[in-house]
Amino acid sequence: MDSLFTPISHVGEFGLIDRMKAVLGSGTGNAALIASIGDDAAVYRVDDDTAHVITTDALVEGVHFDRSFMPWPHLGAKAISVNVSDVAAMNAVARYAVVSIGLPRNMSVEMVESLYVGMRDACARYGIDLVGGDTTASPQVVLSVTVVGEVELSRLVFRRGARPGDLVCVTGDVGGAYAGLQALLEQRRSIQEMGDSYTPDLDPYRYVIKRQLTPEARVDVIADWAKRGVRPRALVDVSDGVASEVHHLCRASGCGARIRGAALPIDPETRFVADEQMQDVDTYALFGGEDYELLFALDPGDEHLLDPTTFTVIGAFTEASEGVTLVTPEGPIVPLQPSGFVHFTDPGADQEEDPDA
Ligand code: ADP
Ligand code: MG
């Protein structure tokens, strides 16, 4: 370890994780380990047919949520859902959760109980048990959940596995959680500007606010695939935005992809918010994040096996040399960056270095 001072912002989140991975090296070389850092969850074999998966995700006050518009039960439920979503992203079923909680002095017992009501109800919906944790003082509320799940070895799906020609598919709709955040921020601005004379009207934003405050992991889709005996070739959940997750699948699979902007599944309420904010709704859909839908690579020959109401084909995987591109709804094809696309650029032209490529 040297004594240089490299600001974390210079390497970014994924660059930092690569540095951690380099420090850790290959660990004990345990032969039961099937996947570790780099997928949505780590996977280890428990017997000839079964693997367990394990994942952890934290929600930090001021970073992931704002107490002024995140009710405690919703926060508790979201902390569980985002972890179950990572388990689902391995095509696995969640079983147990433990939670570490950091509590500032200004929290009451009743607030913590509300948080636990949310976690209890979410666990009940997903069929998992919350079996332990840790409690500590903290300057902000921190909720760190770990979930373990299980899966038949033959049903595991990784981020790697997509092949050129596979369909790029996404469940549900995208951009809604970001639209919900914009709607909540707008209401807060109005309250701050107009004070008591302002009556919030959240009715036009019900769906998108729900997407932001209480996302649901798509365990229904995982169960449906199992019932139909279908398995995508590669899978990731959409926590960081469609563009970022397409890059993750491409990077892990050694592919490129071409995404059709016009095909992105977007709820009318999401469009309404983007219009109100005078922003581009495709930007919400591609870069918004927190949708917790599933993005997957499907063998075109398997398309007829899936329930067409549960997913949308948004593009196709290509050879790696073609990079990750977006066919804009207006027609031109542009490079699709993991966060922010370059408008009206020749895809063959020199691009800024992609830190996630
Ligand atoms: P996701 O969005 O699916 O939760 P992340 O982007 O948070 O995944 O993490 C990417 C990968 O890096 C995962 O395999 C995760 O386990 C690993 N990872 C993230 N942070 C750390 C850390 N602090 N130490 C070790 N591994 C980490
Ligand atoms: Mg994930």
Side-chain angles (χ1 to χ4, degrees):
M1 210 100 16
D2 52 44
S3 58
L4 296 173
F5 187 95
T6 308
I8 292 171
S9 59
H10 284 194
V11 296
E13 179 189 349
F14 298 116
L16 183 64
I17 293 171
D18 285 342
R19 297 276 290 255
M20 295 166 176
K21 211 169 149 176
V23 173
L24 293 172
S26 56
T28 62
N30 183 342
L33 194 59
I34 298 173
S36 61
I37 299 174
D39 221 308
D40 292 282
V43 185
Y44 52 96
R45 182 194 292 268
V46 289
D47 60 35
D48 286 351
D49 308 311
T50 322
H52 284 183
V53 306
I54 178 161
T55 184
T56 190
D57 246 320
L59 297 180
V60 178
E61 183 175 10
V63 179
H64 298 95
F65 67 92
D66 182 324
R67 250 196 244 196
S68 63
F69 48 62
M70 179 57 118
W72 296 115
H74 291 55
L75 178 64
K78 186 166 178 174
I80 298 295
S81 291
V82 301
N83 278 278
V84 173
S85 181
D86 273 325
V87 170
M90 305 309 295
N91 207 23
V93 176
R95 293 285 184 228
Y96 299 100
V98 289
V99 56
S100 289
I101 183 166
L103 297 169
R105 288 180 189 285
N106 60 9
M107 288 283 287
S108 68
V109 174
E110 290 72 20
M111 289 169 178
V112 178
E113 282 174 339
S114 294
L115 199 52
Y116 271 70
V117 165
M119 285 199 276
R120 178 197 66 199
D121 292 351
C123 285
R125 275 201 308 284
Y126 294 121
I128 67 182
D129 288 299
L130 204 167
V131 293
D134 188 33
T135 306
T136 170
S138 160
Q140 293 102 10
V141 178
V142 179
L143 208 49
S144 173
V145 173
T146 300
V147 170
V148 292
E150 61 188 33
V151 55
E152 274 173 45
L153 283 171
S154 62
R155 294 211 50 79
L156 262 171
V157 186
F158 303 96
R159 289 182 180 183
R160 63 174 185 266
R163 299 178 201 169
D166 282 356
L167 305 173
V168 182
C169 304
V170 68
T171 58
D173 61 87
V174 286
Y178 186 77
L181 180 62
Q182 298 311 307
L184 288 165
L185 290 169
E186 185 65 48
Q187 296 288 325
R188 189 168 67 179
R189 276 194 290 273
S190 301
I191 291 169
Q192 280 165 349
E193 279 166 23
M194 294 186 249
D196 287 348
S197 65
Y198 179 73
T199 317
D201 177 15
L202 296 178
D203 236 29
Y205 313 109
R206 251 172 214 289
Y207 176 69
V208 291
I209 289 176
K210 187 163 172 285
R211 297 287 286 169
Q212 169 59 220
L213 298 185
T214 50
E216 283 287 308
R218 297 307 307 265
V219 294
D220 55 332
V221 173
I222 300 300
D224 189 51
W225 289 346
K227 200 177 77 196
R228 291 165 187 265
V230 214
R231 208 174 57 99
R233 280 217 260 247
L235 177 60
V236 67
D237 70 323
V238 184
S239 53
D240 295 339
V242 167
S244 172
E245 308 302 353
V246 169
H247 273 270
H248 282 141
L249 290 188
C250 287
R251 184 188 192 191
S253 301
C255 286
R258 177 162 292 191
I259 303 301
R260 283 182 290 115
L264 291 163
I266 299 171
D267 188 84
E269 230 180 65
T270 306
R271 286 185 194 282
F272 173 70
V273 173
D275 287 349
E276 263 194 344
Q277 298 288 321
M278 290 184 289
Q279 288 168 336
D280 176 14
V281 75
D282 293 326
T283 308
Y284 284 25
L286 289 166
F287 310 113
E290 291 202 292
D291 290 309
Y292 298 102
E293 294 293 341
L294 298 171
L295 182 84
F296 57 101
L298 189 66
D299 176 345
D302 284 351
E303 191 180 356
H304 70 285
L305 299 174
L306 295 189
D307 174 353
T309 65
T310 58
F311 74 103
T312 306
V313 178
I314 61 166
F317 287 94
T318 63
E319 297 294 341
S321 56
E322 293 186 37
V324 180
T325 54
L326 174 73
V327 185
T328 59
E330 302 80 29
I333 298 170
V334 299
L336 179 61
Q337 308 293 349
S339 53
F341 55 84
V342 182
H343 277 290
F344 310 120
T345 309
D346 173 0
D350 282 349
Q351 296 164 28
E352 268 183 41
E353 201 185 329
D354 172 4
D356 197 32

